[in-house]
Amino acid sequence: MKIQIYTDGSCHTQYKMGAWVAILFIHSTKKILSGVVSDTTHHRMELTAVIKAIDYLFANYTDINHVEFFSDSQYVIDLPKRQKKLEASSFTTKKGNELQNTDLIKQLLTHFAACNIQFVKIKAHQKKNGKNDANIEADILSRKMVRDAVFHLLETTPNK
């Protein structure tokens, strides 16, 4: 079974409030997964969207043979190309510090071994054209979720 997934993540850097969205097309069914996370970053949300989508597939489908991810995140798209280098460096920088997001990167790389995953880079913030409308939908939804979460935070936290 071949599955197409559009992912996006968003983050309010000042409040470290983020959201992720994955829109899955399985057969003729559209499924939207999403979540809000506090104390996070934009890159963590981009990675989380992909991981949550794969986790959902593994939990609900046994006949997956190909997953095609569409993302505007160069950070996520380039992970397969950087896998050997990351593993060779033990996920550390030249200065010996652990890379940011190592926990999520390792989790995603483990998923690569379990399923044939292909990433397709798409341009961010496009106008609707019928081709990548699901990416636009994921972007709009993730940004709205962040705005709503920050609004809720500001309303419930004194002196913000």
Side-chain angles (χ1 to χ4, degrees):
M1 169 177 19
K2 183 177 178 180
I3 298 169
Q4 291 184 325
I5 303 173
Y6 292 78
T7 62
D8 205 1
S10 189
C11 184
H12 190 292
T13 54
Q14 181 180 357
Y15 295 107
K16 296 185 178 182
M17 186 67 68
W20 59 269
V21 173
I23 301 176
L24 295 76
F25 292 94
I26 306 164
H27 300 297
S28 60
T29 304
K30 176 181 173 181
K31 172 77 175 170
I32 299 176
L33 307 174
S34 63
V36 173
V37 180
S38 60
D39 194 27
T40 193
T41 66
H42 183 81
H43 282 153
R44 288 191 71 79
M45 293 299 87
E46 294 282 1
L47 290 165
T48 298
V50 175
I51 291 167
K52 293 291 189 178
I54 295 170
D55 288 346
Y56 175 83
L57 292 176
F58 287 167
N60 294 284
Y61 298 91
T62 57
D63 58 342
I64 303 166
N65 57 21
H66 184 80
V67 180
E68 193 172 36
F69 278 95
F70 296 84
S71 176
D72 59 18
S73 171
Q74 196 69 45
Y75 182 77
V76 172
I77 296 292
D78 282 347
L79 275 177
K81 295 176 195 171
R82 296 181 8 234
Q83 182 171 358
K84 288 181 183 177
K85 184 177 179 181
L86 291 169
E87 291 170 344
S89 72
S90 299
F91 299 91
T92 58
T93 65
K94 291 179 182 178
K95 293 183 178 183
N97 299 323
E98 183 179 64
L99 290 173
Q100 290 182 341
N101 307 315
T102 296
D103 57 332
L104 296 178
I105 292 170
K106 285 181 177 179
Q107 191 175 353
L108 188 52
L109 293 178
T110 300
H111 286 337
F112 291 169
C115 183
N116 180 12
I117 296 174
Q118 176 186 2
F119 286 102
V120 177
K121 174 82 166 95
I122 56 177
K123 188 175 178 181
H125 311 291
Q126 299 180 64
K127 293 182 179 178
K128 287 191 176 188
N129 60 12
K131 186 175 181 185
N132 294 319
D133 288 355
N135 178 258
I136 295 165
E137 181 180 356
D139 176 57
I140 291 168
L141 182 55
S142 68
R143 287 188 288 126
K144 181 184 182 323
M145 291 169 62
V146 168
R147 281 192 308 274
D148 292 348
V150 168
F151 178 77
H152 179 73
L153 175 72
L154 294 175
E155 282 212 326
T156 59
T157 306
N159 301 323
K160 284 277 181 179

